Amino acid sequence: RKEVEQDPGPFNVPEGATVAFNCTYSNSASQSFFWYRQDCRKEPKLLMSVYSSGNEDGRFTAQLNRASQYISLLIRDSKLSDSATYLCVLYGSSNTGKLIFGQGTTLQVKP
Amino acid sequence: GAGVSQSPSNKVTEKGKDVELRCDPISGHTALYWYRQSLGQGLEFLIYFQGNSAPDKSGLPSDRFSAERTGGSVSTLTIQRTQQEDSAVYLCASSQSGGSYEQYFGPGTRLTVT
C-alpha cells in the first residue's frame, strides 16, 4: 500500500465551482501534512500546511482527520488559474524533513 | 533573491553512459534534497544533505546513483551506466535547515535515456 494515496482525477469543473480533494495516508504516526501545487512541467510549490484544527487561506481550506487518516483540500470559487496538479505531502521523517508525496490530483477549471 | 537553480534543464543520453546533474541551493540554506519524478509517478525522495552531517541516502534506488555536496553548497547527483528506467525529472530542493522548514524546489533536470 502506498504511503500517500490520491485520486489522480482529472477533476473538470466550471469556473466558480467548489471542488474538494481527499488524500489518505497509511502511517498513523505522521505528524505534518501539506498541500503542494504543481503546474505542468514546473516544480512543486507549497500551497499550504495542514493543521489539526483545519486552516483556511483565502479560497482554500485544508482539513486533517487523524482518526480516519485523511487530509482534504477545498477550493471555493474556482478560477482558471487554479488549474494544476495538487500534491498531498507529508513528512517521511520530521527530523530530516524528507517529504513523501502523493501522485497528485489534476484539476482543470473550464470557462 | 535567487531561487534554487539546476543544470542542465534537459539532458538526453545514451543507455550506459554516466550523467551528472547539478544543483545550486538558495544561499544560506543548509539542507538540500534530491527527488525524482517519473512519468505518471509521484515525487520520490532520493537523498538528503544537512550541513556536515552524513547524508541520508535511503532513497537512492541503486548503487549506480550517488551524490555529493561540496563546501555545504552546490550538489551533484551522478548516475552511472544509465538505464532507460532512469528517465525522469530530477528535482532539487533546499531549506533553511532540515526538519520542518519549507523546501524550495528548483526547476528540475529532465533526463531522457535512449
Short mmCIF file of all heavy atoms in Angstrom, two decimals, chain B residues 13-76:
data_model
loop_
_atom_site.label_atom_id
_atom_site.label_comp_id
_atom_site.label_asym_id
_atom_site.label_seq_id
_atom_site.Cartn_x
_atom_site.Cartn_y
_atom_site.Cartn_z
N THR B 13 20.73 11.25 -23.02
CA THR B 13 21.94 10.45 -23.01
C THR B 13 21.63 9.05 -23.49
O THR B 13 20.48 8.60 -23.47
CB THR B 13 22.53 10.41 -21.58
OG1 THR B 13 23.83 9.81 -21.62
CG2 THR B 13 21.66 9.58 -20.64
N GLU B 14 22.67 8.38 -23.91
CA GLU B 14 22.51 7.01 -24.36
C GLU B 14 22.62 6.05 -23.18
O GLU B 14 23.40 6.28 -22.23
CB GLU B 14 23.59 6.66 -25.39
CG GLU B 14 23.43 7.38 -26.71
CD GLU B 14 24.53 7.02 -27.68
OE1 GLU B 14 25.46 6.26 -27.29
OE2 GLU B 14 24.49 7.49 -28.83
N LYS B 15 21.89 4.99 -23.28
CA LYS B 15 21.94 3.95 -22.24
C LYS B 15 23.39 3.53 -22.03
O LYS B 15 24.15 3.34 -22.98
CB LYS B 15 21.11 2.76 -22.72
CG LYS B 15 21.11 1.57 -21.79
CD LYS B 15 20.26 0.44 -22.37
CE LYS B 15 20.44 -0.82 -21.57
NZ LYS B 15 19.66 -1.95 -22.13
N GLY B 16 23.76 3.43 -20.76
CA GLY B 16 25.11 3.00 -20.41
C GLY B 16 26.08 4.13 -20.12
O GLY B 16 27.14 3.91 -19.52
N LYS B 17 25.71 5.35 -20.50
CA LYS B 17 26.58 6.49 -20.23
C LYS B 17 26.35 6.99 -18.81
O LYS B 17 25.31 6.75 -18.20
CB LYS B 17 26.28 7.63 -21.20
CG LYS B 17 26.44 7.26 -22.64
CD LYS B 17 27.86 7.42 -23.10
CE LYS B 17 27.92 7.23 -24.61
NZ LYS B 17 29.21 7.51 -25.17
N ASP B 18 27.34 7.73 -18.30
CA ASP B 18 27.20 8.37 -16.99
C ASP B 18 26.71 9.81 -17.18
O ASP B 18 27.04 10.45 -18.18
CB ASP B 18 28.55 8.42 -16.27
CG ASP B 18 29.11 7.04 -15.97
OD1 ASP B 18 28.39 6.04 -16.18
OD2 ASP B 18 30.27 6.97 -15.53
N VAL B 19 25.92 10.29 -16.21
CA VAL B 19 25.47 11.69 -16.26
C VAL B 19 25.68 12.34 -14.90
O VAL B 19 25.66 11.68 -13.87
CB VAL B 19 23.98 11.82 -16.67
CG1 VAL B 19 23.76 11.35 -18.09
CG2 VAL B 19 23.07 11.09 -15.71
N GLU B 20 25.87 13.67 -14.95
CA GLU B 20 25.98 14.46 -13.72
C GLU B 20 24.96 15.58 -13.77
O GLU B 20 24.88 16.31 -14.76
CB GLU B 20 27.38 15.07 -13.60
CG GLU B 20 28.43 14.09 -13.15
CD GLU B 20 29.75 14.78 -12.80
OE1 GLU B 20 29.86 16.00 -13.03
OE2 GLU B 20 30.64 14.09 -12.30
N LEU B 21 24.20 15.71 -12.72
CA LEU B 21 23.19 16.76 -12.60
C LEU B 21 23.61 17.66 -11.45
O LEU B 21 24.02 17.19 -10.39
CB LEU B 21 21.82 16.14 -12.32
CG LEU B 21 21.40 14.95 -13.20
CD1 LEU B 21 20.02 14.45 -12.79
CD2 LEU B 21 21.43 15.32 -14.66
N ARG B 22 23.43 18.97 -11.68
CA ARG B 22 23.93 19.92 -10.70
C ARG B 22 22.79 20.70 -10.06
O ARG B 22 21.79 21.00 -10.70
CB ARG B 22 24.87 20.90 -11.40
CG ARG B 22 25.42 22.02 -10.52
CD ARG B 22 26.20 23.02 -11.35
NE ARG B 22 26.49 24.23 -10.59
CZ ARG B 22 27.69 24.52 -10.11
NH1 ARG B 22 28.72 23.71 -10.30
NH2 ARG B 22 27.89 25.64 -9.43
N CYS B 23 22.99 21.02 -8.79
CA CYS B 23 22.01 21.81 -8.05
C CYS B 23 22.72 22.91 -7.27
O CYS B 23 23.66 22.63 -6.51
CB CYS B 23 21.22 20.93 -7.08
SG CYS B 23 20.16 21.85 -5.93
N ASP B 24 22.25 24.15 -7.43
CA ASP B 24 22.73 25.28 -6.63
C ASP B 24 21.60 25.69 -5.70
O ASP B 24 20.59 26.23 -6.16
CB ASP B 24 23.09 26.46 -7.52
CG ASP B 24 24.45 26.32 -8.15
OD1 ASP B 24 25.42 26.76 -7.53
OD2 ASP B 24 24.52 25.76 -9.25
N PRO B 25 21.74 25.45 -4.41
CA PRO B 25 20.64 25.78 -3.49
C PRO B 25 20.57 27.28 -3.23
O PRO B 25 21.45 28.04 -3.64
CB PRO B 25 21.04 25.03 -2.22
CG PRO B 25 22.54 25.02 -2.26
CD PRO B 25 22.90 24.90 -3.71
N ILE B 26 19.55 27.67 -2.55
CA ILE B 26 19.43 29.07 -2.13
C ILE B 26 20.55 29.36 -1.13
O ILE B 26 20.83 28.56 -0.24
CB ILE B 26 18.04 29.32 -1.49
CG1 ILE B 26 16.95 29.19 -2.57
CG2 ILE B 26 17.97 30.68 -0.82
CD1 ILE B 26 15.53 29.23 -2.05
N SER B 27 21.16 30.51 -1.31
CA SER B 27 22.28 30.89 -0.46
C SER B 27 21.87 30.88 1.01
O SER B 27 20.82 31.44 1.38
CB SER B 27 22.77 32.29 -0.85
OG SER B 27 23.82 32.70 0.00
N GLY B 28 22.67 30.22 1.83
CA GLY B 28 22.38 30.18 3.26
C GLY B 28 21.57 28.97 3.69
O GLY B 28 21.46 28.69 4.89
N HIS B 29 20.99 28.27 2.75
CA HIS B 29 20.22 27.07 3.09
C HIS B 29 21.18 25.92 3.37
O HIS B 29 22.04 25.60 2.55
CB HIS B 29 19.28 26.69 1.95
CG HIS B 29 18.02 27.51 1.93
ND1 HIS B 29 16.94 27.18 1.13
CD2 HIS B 29 17.67 28.63 2.61
CE1 HIS B 29 15.98 28.06 1.34
NE2 HIS B 29 16.40 28.95 2.21
N THR B 30 21.00 25.30 4.53
CA THR B 30 21.93 24.24 4.91
C THR B 30 21.43 22.85 4.50
O THR B 30 22.20 21.91 4.44
CB THR B 30 22.18 24.25 6.42
OG1 THR B 30 20.95 24.00 7.10
CG2 THR B 30 22.75 25.59 6.87
N ALA B 31 20.14 22.74 4.27
CA ALA B 31 19.58 21.43 3.91
C ALA B 31 19.33 21.37 2.41
O ALA B 31 18.83 22.32 1.81
CB ALA B 31 18.28 21.17 4.67
N LEU B 32 19.66 20.24 1.82
CA LEU B 32 19.48 20.05 0.37
C LEU B 32 18.95 18.65 0.12
O LEU B 32 19.41 17.67 0.72
CB LEU B 32 20.83 20.25 -0.35
CG LEU B 32 20.80 20.25 -1.88
CD1 LEU B 32 21.87 21.20 -2.42
CD2 LEU B 32 20.96 18.86 -2.45
N TYR B 33 17.97 18.56 -0.75
CA TYR B 33 17.28 17.30 -1.05
C TYR B 33 17.30 17.06 -2.56
O TYR B 33 17.17 17.99 -3.34
CB TYR B 33 15.81 17.36 -0.62
CG TYR B 33 15.57 17.73 0.82
CD1 TYR B 33 15.63 19.05 1.23
CD2 TYR B 33 15.26 16.76 1.77
CE1 TYR B 33 15.40 19.41 2.56
CE2 TYR B 33 15.02 17.10 3.09
CZ TYR B 33 15.09 18.42 3.48
OH TYR B 33 14.85 18.76 4.80
N TRP B 34 17.38 15.80 -2.93
CA TRP B 34 17.14 15.38 -4.30
C TRP B 34 15.91 14.48 -4.32
O TRP B 34 15.77 13.58 -3.48
CB TRP B 34 18.33 14.61 -4.87
CG TRP B 34 19.50 15.43 -5.27
CD1 TRP B 34 20.63 15.68 -4.55
CD2 TRP B 34 19.69 16.10 -6.53
NE1 TRP B 34 21.49 16.47 -5.26
CE2 TRP B 34 20.95 16.74 -6.48
CE3 TRP B 34 18.92 16.23 -7.69
CZ2 TRP B 34 21.46 17.49 -7.55
CZ3 TRP B 34 19.42 16.97 -8.74
CH2 TRP B 34 20.67 17.59 -8.67
N TYR B 35 15.04 14.74 -5.32
CA TYR B 35 13.85 13.93 -5.55
C TYR B 35 13.82 13.56 -7.03
O TYR B 35 14.46 14.21 -7.87
CB TYR B 35 12.56 14.70 -5.23
CG TYR B 35 12.38 15.09 -3.77
CD1 TYR B 35 12.91 16.29 -3.29
CD2 TYR B 35 11.67 14.28 -2.89
CE1 TYR B 35 12.74 16.66 -1.96
CE2 TYR B 35 11.49 14.65 -1.55
CZ TYR B 35 12.03 15.84 -1.11
OH TYR B 35 11.85 16.21 0.21
N ARG B 36 13.02 12.56 -7.34
CA ARG B 36 12.86 12.14 -8.73
C ARG B 36 11.37 12.01 -9.03
O ARG B 36 10.61 11.49 -8.19
CB ARG B 36 13.55 10.79 -8.96
CG ARG B 36 13.35 10.21 -10.32
CD ARG B 36 14.24 9.00 -10.54
NE ARG B 36 13.79 7.81 -9.86
CZ ARG B 36 14.33 6.61 -10.07
NH1 ARG B 36 15.33 6.47 -10.90
NH2 ARG B 36 13.88 5.55 -9.42
N GLN B 37 10.97 12.48 -10.20
CA GLN B 37 9.57 12.36 -10.62
C GLN B 37 9.52 11.67 -11.97
O GLN B 37 9.92 12.26 -12.98
CB GLN B 37 8.90 13.73 -10.69
CG GLN B 37 7.40 13.67 -10.94
CD GLN B 37 6.73 15.02 -10.76
OE1 GLN B 37 7.32 16.07 -11.01
NE2 GLN B 37 5.48 15.02 -10.31
N SER B 38 9.05 10.43 -11.97
CA SER B 38 8.93 9.68 -13.21
C SER B 38 7.54 9.90 -13.77
O SER B 38 6.60 10.24 -13.05
CB SER B 38 9.16 8.19 -12.94
OG SER B 38 10.40 7.99 -12.31
N LEU B 39 7.40 9.66 -15.07
CA LEU B 39 6.13 9.88 -15.76
C LEU B 39 5.03 9.08 -15.08
O LEU B 39 5.15 7.87 -14.88
CB LEU B 39 6.26 9.46 -17.23
CG LEU B 39 5.08 9.81 -18.12
CD1 LEU B 39 4.93 11.33 -18.21
CD2 LEU B 39 5.28 9.23 -19.52
N GLY B 40 3.98 9.80 -14.69
CA GLY B 40 2.85 9.12 -14.06
C GLY B 40 3.08 8.72 -12.63
O GLY B 40 2.21 8.09 -12.02
N GLN B 41 4.23 9.08 -12.07
CA GLN B 41 4.55 8.71 -10.69
C GLN B 41 4.65 9.97 -9.84
O GLN B 41 4.87 11.07 -10.33
CB GLN B 41 5.89 7.97 -10.62
CG GLN B 41 5.95 6.72 -11.48
CD GLN B 41 5.05 5.64 -10.95
OE1 GLN B 41 4.98 5.40 -9.75
NE2 GLN B 41 4.33 4.98 -11.85
N GLY B 42 4.50 9.78 -8.56
CA GLY B 42 4.73 10.89 -7.64
C GLY B 42 6.21 11.13 -7.46
O GLY B 42 7.04 10.35 -7.90
N LEU B 43 6.51 12.24 -6.81
CA LEU B 43 7.91 12.51 -6.49
C LEU B 43 8.40 11.50 -5.45
O LEU B 43 7.70 11.20 -4.50
CB LEU B 43 8.07 13.90 -5.91
CG LEU B 43 8.10 15.05 -6.90
CD1 LEU B 43 6.70 15.51 -7.24
CD2 LEU B 43 8.91 16.21 -6.34
N GLU B 44 9.62 11.03 -5.64
CA GLU B 44 10.20 10.13 -4.65
C GLU B 44 11.52 10.70 -4.16
O GLU B 44 12.33 11.20 -4.95
CB GLU B 44 10.39 8.71 -5.22
CG GLU B 44 11.26 8.63 -6.43
CD GLU B 44 11.54 7.19 -6.85
OE1 GLU B 44 11.59 6.30 -5.99
OE2 GLU B 44 11.73 6.98 -8.06
N PHE B 45 11.72 10.60 -2.86
CA PHE B 45 12.92 11.10 -2.21
C PHE B 45 14.12 10.24 -2.62
O PHE B 45 14.02 9.01 -2.70
CB PHE B 45 12.71 11.03 -0.70
CG PHE B 45 13.97 11.17 0.11
CD1 PHE B 45 14.52 12.42 0.34
CD2 PHE B 45 14.61 10.06 0.64
CE1 PHE B 45 15.66 12.57 1.10
CE2 PHE B 45 15.75 10.18 1.39
CZ PHE B 45 16.29 11.44 1.62
N LEU B 46 15.24 10.89 -2.86
CA LEU B 46 16.46 10.18 -3.19
C LEU B 46 17.51 10.31 -2.08
O LEU B 46 17.98 9.32 -1.55
CB LEU B 46 17.05 10.71 -4.51
CG LEU B 46 16.20 10.50 -5.76
CD1 LEU B 46 16.88 11.15 -6.97
CD2 LEU B 46 15.95 9.02 -6.02
N ILE B 47 17.88 11.57 -1.75
CA ILE B 47 18.97 11.77 -0.81
C ILE B 47 18.83 13.13 -0.15
O ILE B 47 18.24 14.05 -0.71
CB ILE B 47 20.34 11.63 -1.51
CG1 ILE B 47 21.51 11.63 -0.52
CG2 ILE B 47 20.52 12.72 -2.57
CD1 ILE B 47 22.84 11.22 -1.16
N TYR B 48 19.37 13.26 1.06
CA TYR B 48 19.27 14.48 1.86
C TYR B 48 20.62 14.81 2.46
O TYR B 48 21.30 13.93 3.00
CB TYR B 48 18.23 14.26 2.96
CG TYR B 48 18.32 15.15 4.17
CD1 TYR B 48 17.95 16.50 4.10
CD2 TYR B 48 18.75 14.66 5.40
CE1 TYR B 48 18.00 17.31 5.22
CE2 TYR B 48 18.80 15.47 6.52
CZ TYR B 48 18.43 16.79 6.43
OH TYR B 48 18.47 17.60 7.54
N PHE B 49 21.01 16.09 2.35
CA PHE B 49 22.23 16.60 2.96
C PHE B 49 21.84 17.68 3.97
O PHE B 49 21.01 18.53 3.70
CB PHE B 49 23.14 17.26 1.91
CG PHE B 49 23.69 16.32 0.88
CD1 PHE B 49 23.00 16.12 -0.32
CD2 PHE B 49 24.88 15.66 1.08
CE1 PHE B 49 23.50 15.28 -1.29
CE2 PHE B 49 25.40 14.80 0.11
CZ PHE B 49 24.70 14.61 -1.08
N GLN B 50 22.51 17.65 5.11
CA GLN B 50 22.31 18.70 6.12
C GLN B 50 23.67 19.04 6.70
O GLN B 50 24.28 18.24 7.42
CB GLN B 50 21.36 18.23 7.22
CG GLN B 50 21.30 19.14 8.44
CD GLN B 50 20.90 20.56 8.12
OE1 GLN B 50 20.04 20.82 7.29
NE2 GLN B 50 21.55 21.51 8.77
N GLY B 51 24.14 20.24 6.39
CA GLY B 51 25.40 20.71 6.93
C GLY B 51 26.51 19.70 6.69
O GLY B 51 26.69 19.20 5.59
N ASN B 52 27.25 19.41 7.75
CA ASN B 52 28.37 18.48 7.66
C ASN B 52 28.01 17.07 8.08
O ASN B 52 28.88 16.19 8.17
CB ASN B 52 29.53 18.98 8.54
CG ASN B 52 30.08 20.29 8.04
OD1 ASN B 52 30.21 20.50 6.84
ND2 ASN B 52 30.39 21.19 8.97
N SER B 53 26.72 16.84 8.34
CA SER B 53 26.29 15.50 8.76
C SER B 53 26.34 14.52 7.61
O SER B 53 26.30 14.91 6.44
CB SER B 53 24.84 15.57 9.30
OG SER B 53 24.75 16.48 10.36
N ALA B 54 26.42 13.24 7.95
CA ALA B 54 26.38 12.20 6.92
C ALA B 54 25.04 12.28 6.20
O ALA B 54 24.00 12.43 6.83
CB ALA B 54 26.56 10.82 7.55
N PRO B 55 25.05 12.18 4.88
CA PRO B 55 23.79 12.29 4.14
C PRO B 55 22.88 11.10 4.38
O PRO B 55 23.33 10.00 4.69
CB PRO B 55 24.24 12.33 2.67
CG PRO B 55 25.60 11.73 2.67
CD PRO B 55 26.21 12.03 3.99
N ASP B 56 21.59 11.32 4.24
CA ASP B 56 20.58 10.26 4.28
C ASP B 56 20.40 9.76 2.86
O ASP B 56 19.76 10.43 2.05
CB ASP B 56 19.27 10.82 4.86
CG ASP B 56 18.14 9.80 4.84
OD1 ASP B 56 18.32 8.68 4.32
OD2 ASP B 56 17.05 10.13 5.34
N LYS B 57 20.95 8.59 2.56
CA LYS B 57 20.92 8.06 1.20
C LYS B 57 19.82 7.02 1.01
O LYS B 57 19.84 6.27 0.03
CB LYS B 57 22.26 7.38 0.88
CG LYS B 57 23.47 8.26 1.05
CD LYS B 57 24.73 7.48 0.72
CE LYS B 57 25.99 8.31 0.95
NZ LYS B 57 27.22 7.54 0.65
N SER B 58 18.90 6.96 1.96
CA SER B 58 17.95 5.85 1.99
C SER B 58 17.05 5.74 0.76
O SER B 58 16.49 4.69 0.49
CB SER B 58 17.09 5.95 3.25
OG SER B 58 16.37 7.16 3.26
N GLY B 59 16.94 6.82 -0.02
CA GLY B 59 16.07 6.79 -1.18
C GLY B 59 16.75 6.46 -2.49
O GLY B 59 16.09 6.29 -3.51
N LEU B 60 18.05 6.34 -2.50
CA LEU B 60 18.76 6.04 -3.75
C LEU B 60 18.35 4.65 -4.24
O LEU B 60 18.45 3.69 -3.49
CB LEU B 60 20.27 6.12 -3.55
CG LEU B 60 20.82 7.51 -3.21
CD1 LEU B 60 22.33 7.44 -3.01
CD2 LEU B 60 20.48 8.52 -4.32
N PRO B 61 17.91 4.54 -5.49
CA PRO B 61 17.34 3.28 -5.97
C PRO B 61 18.37 2.18 -6.23
O PRO B 61 18.01 1.01 -6.24
CB PRO B 61 16.62 3.68 -7.25
CG PRO B 61 17.30 4.92 -7.71
CD PRO B 61 17.78 5.62 -6.49
N SER B 62 19.60 2.55 -6.49
CA SER B 62 20.62 1.53 -6.74
C SER B 62 21.99 2.15 -6.50
O SER B 62 22.12 3.36 -6.34
CB SER B 62 20.52 0.99 -8.16
OG SER B 62 21.10 1.90 -9.08
N ASP B 63 23.03 1.30 -6.52
CA ASP B 63 24.39 1.82 -6.30
C ASP B 63 24.93 2.54 -7.52
O ASP B 63 26.06 3.04 -7.50
CB ASP B 63 25.34 0.70 -5.86
CG ASP B 63 25.42 -0.43 -6.86
OD1 ASP B 63 24.87 -0.29 -7.98
OD2 ASP B 63 26.01 -1.47 -6.52
N ARG B 64 24.14 2.62 -8.57
CA ARG B 64 24.56 3.43 -9.71
C ARG B 64 24.35 4.92 -9.44
O ARG B 64 24.87 5.77 -10.15
CB ARG B 64 23.77 3.04 -10.97
CG ARG B 64 24.02 1.62 -11.46
CD ARG B 64 23.31 1.36 -12.78
NE ARG B 64 21.86 1.42 -12.67
CZ ARG B 64 21.11 2.42 -13.11
NH1 ARG B 64 21.68 3.48 -13.70
NH2 ARG B 64 19.80 2.40 -12.98
N PHE B 65 23.58 5.20 -8.41
CA PHE B 65 23.27 6.58 -8.05
C PHE B 65 24.15 7.02 -6.89
O PHE B 65 24.30 6.30 -5.89
CB PHE B 65 21.80 6.71 -7.61
CG PHE B 65 20.80 6.61 -8.72
CD1 PHE B 65 20.55 5.39 -9.34
CD2 PHE B 65 20.10 7.73 -9.14
CE1 PHE B 65 19.62 5.30 -10.38
CE2 PHE B 65 19.17 7.64 -10.15
CZ PHE B 65 18.92 6.43 -10.77
N SER B 66 24.71 8.21 -7.00
CA SER B 66 25.48 8.79 -5.91
C SER B 66 25.33 10.29 -5.96
O SER B 66 24.94 10.86 -6.98
CB SER B 66 26.95 8.39 -6.00
OG SER B 66 27.52 8.90 -7.19
N ALA B 67 25.61 10.93 -4.85
CA ALA B 67 25.52 12.39 -4.81
C ALA B 67 26.55 12.90 -3.84
O ALA B 67 26.92 12.22 -2.87
CB ALA B 67 24.12 12.85 -4.41
N GLU B 68 27.01 14.10 -4.10
CA GLU B 68 27.89 14.76 -3.17
C GLU B 68 27.51 16.22 -3.07
O GLU B 68 26.86 16.78 -3.95
CB GLU B 68 29.35 14.61 -3.60
CG GLU B 68 29.69 15.21 -4.93
CD GLU B 68 31.18 15.05 -5.24
OE1 GLU B 68 31.83 14.16 -4.66
OE2 GLU B 68 31.69 15.84 -6.05
N ARG B 69 27.95 16.81 -1.98
CA ARG B 69 27.70 18.23 -1.78
C ARG B 69 28.99 18.84 -1.28
O ARG B 69 29.47 18.53 -0.20
CB ARG B 69 26.59 18.44 -0.75
CG ARG B 69 26.17 19.89 -0.64
CD ARG B 69 25.06 20.08 0.34
NE ARG B 69 24.61 21.47 0.30
CZ ARG B 69 23.81 22.02 1.19
NH1 ARG B 69 23.35 21.29 2.21
NH2 ARG B 69 23.44 23.28 1.09
N THR B 70 29.55 19.69 -2.11
CA THR B 70 30.86 20.25 -1.81
C THR B 70 30.73 21.60 -1.12
O THR B 70 29.92 22.44 -1.54
CB THR B 70 31.66 20.43 -3.11
OG1 THR B 70 30.88 21.18 -4.04
CG2 THR B 70 32.00 19.08 -3.71
N GLY B 71 31.48 21.77 -0.06
CA GLY B 71 31.51 23.05 0.64
C GLY B 71 30.17 23.44 1.23
O GLY B 71 29.93 24.62 1.49
N GLY B 72 29.30 22.47 1.41
CA GLY B 72 28.00 22.77 2.00
C GLY B 72 27.09 23.56 1.11
O GLY B 72 26.07 24.10 1.56
N SER B 73 27.40 23.63 -0.20
CA SER B 73 26.57 24.41 -1.09
C SER B 73 26.12 23.58 -2.28
O SER B 73 25.17 22.81 -2.18
CB SER B 73 27.30 25.67 -1.54
OG SER B 73 26.49 26.44 -2.39
N VAL B 74 26.85 23.68 -3.38
CA VAL B 74 26.47 23.00 -4.63
C VAL B 74 26.47 21.48 -4.44
O VAL B 74 27.31 20.93 -3.74
CB VAL B 74 27.46 23.38 -5.74
CG1 VAL B 74 27.24 22.54 -6.98
CG2 VAL B 74 27.35 24.87 -6.05
N SER B 75 25.49 20.85 -5.09
CA SER B 75 25.41 19.39 -5.03
C SER B 75 25.39 18.83 -6.45
O SER B 75 24.85 19.46 -7.38
CB SER B 75 24.16 18.94 -4.29
OG SER B 75 24.03 17.53 -4.30
N THR B 76 25.98 17.65 -6.60
CA THR B 76 25.97 16.95 -7.87
C THR B 76 25.39 15.56 -7.66
O THR B 76 25.83 14.83 -6.75
CB THR B 76 27.39 16.82 -8.44
OG1 THR B 76 27.96 18.12 -8.59
CG2 THR B 76 27.37 16.13 -9.79
#
